[in-house]
Amino acid sequence: MNTDNFQKNTAYLDGVLMSLAGDKVIIISYGAKQERFYVSASGDVNRCGEQGPVPGTESDFELYRMAFLEALIEGGSIIVRQIGVDTLQLPATLGGGAVPMDYLSAASVSLKGVRALNAGELKKVYQQGADGAVEYHDFLSKDQVKIAMIKLVEAEQG
């Protein structure tokens, strides 16, 4: 694993996370390990427990980066859960109202880099793990991230 490959893939993952709305839970799996991180809408990274973010330190960001590096070296996956970015309207027969909806997307990770999964691929392998109201989405492509970053820069300058 050379540093250029790590930097390119890290920039891609960072771009994806910056492009997605709201707070996110990131699950990085590699080997027999699974690491969970909470990334706020503002980009702060904390370890993630069962009930949400765990108050941490700057080392949480380093742990996040190391988990990603391990996934690149060993092979693994990344699942991104955007928290409460939409609502699901319940039918009147279920009492009406609305419940928060999360979006799920994922990518496989290997020495070759990050490969975005489409919603159908994710749904096949992650049916059981989607608690609550969720909608499966394609992981953003590199081109989609580039466009989102250009729009972000233009918005900040405009």
Side-chain angles (χ1 to χ4, degrees):
M1 162 74 48
N2 65 41
T3 56
D4 288 341
N5 188 35
F6 176 66
Q7 289 173 342
K8 278 195 306 189
N9 285 290
T10 299
Y12 172 42
L13 179 58
D14 289 349
V16 167
L17 297 179
M18 288 174 61
S19 300
L20 298 174
D23 296 338
K24 296 157 270 305
V25 173
I26 313 302
I27 302 170
I28 302 175
S29 299
Y30 55 94
K33 286 192 167 189
Q34 187 179 78
E35 305 282 348
R36 294 166 42 103
F37 298 93
Y38 181 88
V39 179
S40 70
S42 63
D44 295 327
V45 176
N46 289 89
R47 288 170 287 123
C48 187
E50 292 301 318
Q51 303 302 314
V54 175
T57 64
E58 290 178 10
S59 66
D60 288 350
F61 180 76
E62 294 169 9
L63 293 170
Y64 161 74
R65 282 287 196 247
M66 288 306 297
F68 181 59
L69 176 60
E70 291 288 341
L72 282 169
I73 292 169
E74 292 186 31
S77 64
I78 296 172
I79 296 175
V80 177
R81 184 179 194 118
Q82 293 172 260
I83 308 294
V85 290
D86 204 351
T87 56
L88 176 64
Q89 297 298 321
L90 297 175
T93 56
L94 294 176
V99 295
M101 182 181 295
D102 298 346
Y103 292 166
L104 289 176
S105 59
S108 65
V109 183
S110 70
L111 282 173
K112 293 181 180 180
V114 177
R115 185 183 76 77
L117 298 178
N118 66 42
E121 290 173 305
L122 174 59
K123 195 170 190 174
K124 284 180 187 174
V125 298
Y126 199 64
Q127 296 170 355
Q128 304 287 328
D131 299 341
V134 297
E135 193 172 280
Y136 293 86
H137 285 246
D138 297 346
F139 198 80
L140 296 179
S141 70
K142 291 177 183 172
D143 287 338
Q144 289 172 310
V145 170
K146 287 177 189 175
I147 291 167
M149 292 297 102
I150 290 168
K151 288 180 179 179
L152 183 65
V153 169
E154 287 173 350
E156 288 177 358
Q157 291 176 350

